[in-house]
Amino acid sequence: MDSIWFDDARVGMRFRTAARTITETDVVNFAGVSGDFNELHMNAERMRDSGFGERIAHGALVLSIVTGLRGQLGIFDESIIAFAEIRGWRFLAPVFIGDTVHAMNEITELRETSKPDRGVVVQRVDVANQKGDVVQTGEMVTMLKRRGAA
């Protein structure tokens, strides 16, 4: 798919990412990078007796994976200036090792800026697991170039 520029974006446009399975390696590596070794993520024995019944993936890990899945769409590769903000992000349900997640994105707002070569795009992002349950949700705000401003 060609890049979408601010001029091309329309409220209501939707994009679905590819899906990705959360692995044991993802959780262990993220714990190492982030320093978050909480038992929720690292202690299988303790979590077996918890309300979750097993270890859960870091919420921030899933959010990070979603930013990567969104980037893999390639729809803003040529036009993005900045990933500017995450708004109202909510963690609605646990994601377990072995769950497969994808993101559904919808443009909900377009704003002009004081600079004529760019604009702001707000997208609602819902992260769903393999059962279709929304596990995370919020808004991601990006700044895009206008055509001819490249």
Side-chain angles (χ1 to χ4, degrees), residues 115-146:
K115 297 183 179 180
D117 64 338
R118 64 192 67 186
V120 173
V121 177
V122 179
Q123 293 178 65
R124 177 188 169 92
V125 180
D126 291 322
V127 182
N129 63 18
Q130 69 279 1
K131 297 182 245 176
D133 300 329
V134 175
V135 296
Q136 295 185 9
T137 189
E139 292 180 323
M140 293 190 181
V141 181
T142 53
M143 187 171 296
L144 297 183
K145 297 174 191 172
R146 289 185 176 274

Side-chain angles (χ1 to χ4, degrees), residues 3 22 34 55-56 67 78-79 86-88 98 111 130 142:
S3 277
I22 308 301
S34 67
R55 289 177 298 148
I56 60 174
T67 63
E78 295 176 40
S79 59
I86 297 175
R87 293 183 186 160
R111 277 198 331 267
Q130 69 279 1
T142 53

Side-chain angles (χ1 to χ4, degrees), residues 14-44:
R14 293 180 183 196
F15 317 98
R16 180 187 166 126
T17 69
R20 185 176 180 300
T21 300
I22 308 301
T23 67
E24 170 86 16
T25 302
D26 294 328
V27 171
V28 170
N29 285 339
F30 192 81
V33 169
S34 67
D36 182 351
F37 293 96
N38 191 285
E39 291 186 341
L40 292 167
H41 317 300
M42 307 308 292
N43 189 330

